[in-house]
Amino acid sequence: MAQPAVLEGLLRWTPAGGLTPGADTEVGGRLLVADSWLVRGGRVRGLERHRERFLRACAECDGPPLRRLLEFWQDTAAALPRTGEWFPRVELTADSRELRLLLRRSPPLQPDIRVWAVGRPDPRTEPRRKGPDLDALAAVRRRASEEGATEAVLTTPSGAVLESATASILWWEDDTLCLPSPRLPVLAGVTAGLIQERARRLGIRVTHPERTLAELDGREVWLVNALHGIRPVREWTGHPMSAGAAVHAAEWRSWLDGISEPLPKE
C-alpha cells in the first residue's frame, strides 16, 4: 500500500488529534528541546538514540508525562516519509510546552567542510541540551559565513575546543581518536557516540585531551553530526592553519552509511 501524502512543514501534536498541520506563523519561537536526524529512503541512523536523548531532555525540563512523550514519538515515527531525503526535527516549545514535528526536506549533504579557524566564545545557555540556543548558534554560523566558512568552532574562555555550532569535533593524533572531555560543556552527540563505540570495539585508543584550535593545525579533524555524518575539515579560514590529510575518513564514512536501519513499520 502506498504511503499517504506527506504533510510537510510544521505539525502540532495533541493526544486527541495526533499530528496536524500548524500555521506557518508558528514556526520558530524559543524551544526547550529539539532533536533532528537524517532520513534517506526510509532509513535512519541511531533513531533510538535520538529518541532517548529527546525523552531525557524533556524530562529534565519538566516536559509532558512520559506516556504522552511516547505517544508523540510513535506518531512521529509513523509520519516520517519512507522515500526521499528528509531532515525532521522534534520540538518541545518553551512557552506552552507543546510537542511539534517540523518535517523538512534535507539540505544537500556535504562530504567535507571549510571551518573558520577563530575560536568563538560559547554563547549557549544550555550547552548540554539541544534546543534553547539554536538562534544563538545560527548567529555563529552566519558570522562564519561572512568569513567564507561553513562552520565556526566554539571554545572555552581558556581557548579549549568544544564543538562547532552544529556538530561534534573529533580529531586524530596519529592512530588515536580524540574528542573534547565530557567534563566540558558539550552536547552528547549521537553520531560522535556511535563513532567512539566502534573505535573501542576495534581496539582504537580514544582519549579526551584539551586542545586549542592552534593545536589542531595539520591534523585530520572531523565535524560529525546526524545530518552530514563525518565531514573532514578540508580547509581552515581566517588563520594560517593547514588541514591534515583525511586518512581515516573514507573508511569510517562507509561504515557510518552502512549502519542506517529501516524506519519502524507503520
Side-chain angles (χ1 to χ4, degrees), residues 209-232:
E210 290 194 10
R211 296 286 186 261
T212 65
L213 262 175
E215 290 174 310
L216 301 186
D217 185 21
R219 299 198 180 278
E220 179 176 359
V221 180
W222 297 349
L223 268 60
V224 308
N225 63 16
L227 176 59
H228 299 284
I230 295 170
R231 289 176 293 174

Side-chain angles (χ1 to χ4, degrees), residues 150-167:
T150 303
E151 271 283 9
V153 177
L154 306 179
T155 59
T156 66
S158 65
V161 166
L162 294 172
E163 52 196 297
S164 82
T166 65

Side-chain angles (χ1 to χ4, degrees), residues 128-152:
R128 299 185 189 279
R129 175 158 40 95
K130 186 174 179 179
D133 300 300
L134 290 180
D135 289 344
L137 293 172
V140 171
R141 293 190 71 205
R142 287 194 297 271
R143 182 70 183 89
S145 179
E146 294 170 1
E147 299 296 329
T150 303
E151 271 283 9

Side-chain angles (χ1 to χ4, degrees), residues 32-225:
L32 282 178
V33 184
D35 218 309
S36 51
W37 55 88
L38 176 67
V39 180
R40 302 181 76 182
R43 302 178 71 88
V44 181
R45 182 174 57 239
L47 184 60
E48 283 301 304
R49 296 174 184 243
H50 286 282
R51 171 184 177 270
E52 293 307 310
R53 187 171 69 175
F54 182 73
L55 297 181
R56 184 170 59 250
C58 287
E60 290 170 356
C61 55
D62 298 323
L66 178 59
R67 63 187 177 89
R68 294 300 189 204
L69 291 169
L70 294 174
E71 291 169 2
F72 165 70
W73 192 270
Q74 184 176 18
D75 288 349
T76 290
L80 296 176
R82 268 59 181 176
T83 59
E85 297 189 357
W86 300 81
F87 188 45
R89 186 172 77 196
V90 287
E91 305 174 346
L92 176 65
T93 65
D95 52 354
S96 58
R97 297 296 202 277
E98 182 180 60
L99 291 165
R100 309 189 306 197
L101 168 64
L102 181 59
L103 197 51
R104 55 195 177 174
R105 302 276 179 175
S106 170
L109 301 184
Q110 302 168 346
D112 50 31
I113 191 166
R114 179 187 291 117
V115 181
W116 189 23
V118 177
R120 305 301 296 167
D122 189 352
R124 295 170 297 175
T125 59
E126 298 286 347
R128 299 185 189 279
R129 175 158 40 95
K130 186 174 179 179
D133 300 300
L134 290 180
D135 289 344
L137 293 172
V140 171
R141 293 190 71 205
R142 287 194 297 271
R143 182 70 183 89
S145 179
E146 294 170 1
E147 299 296 329
T150 303
E151 271 283 9
V153 177
L154 306 179
T155 59
T156 66
S158 65
V161 166
L162 294 172
E163 52 196 297
S164 82
T166 65
S168 304
I169 294 181
L170 293 76
W171 66 94
W172 291 86
E173 298 185 3
D174 297 321
D175 290 324
T176 297
L177 180 65
C178 304
L179 302 90
S181 170
R183 295 189 300 272
L184 294 172
V186 293
L187 181 71
V190 168
T191 306
L194 291 167
I195 291 170
Q196 289 180 80
E197 288 178 12
R198 185 193 188 223
R200 293 190 172 101
R201 287 196 303 270
L202 295 176
I204 294 171
R205 186 167 179 253
V206 179
T207 64
H208 301 274
E210 290 194 10
R211 296 286 186 261
T212 65
L213 262 175
E215 290 174 310
L216 301 186
D217 185 21
R219 299 198 180 278
E220 179 176 359
V221 180
W222 297 349
L223 268 60
V224 308
N225 63 16

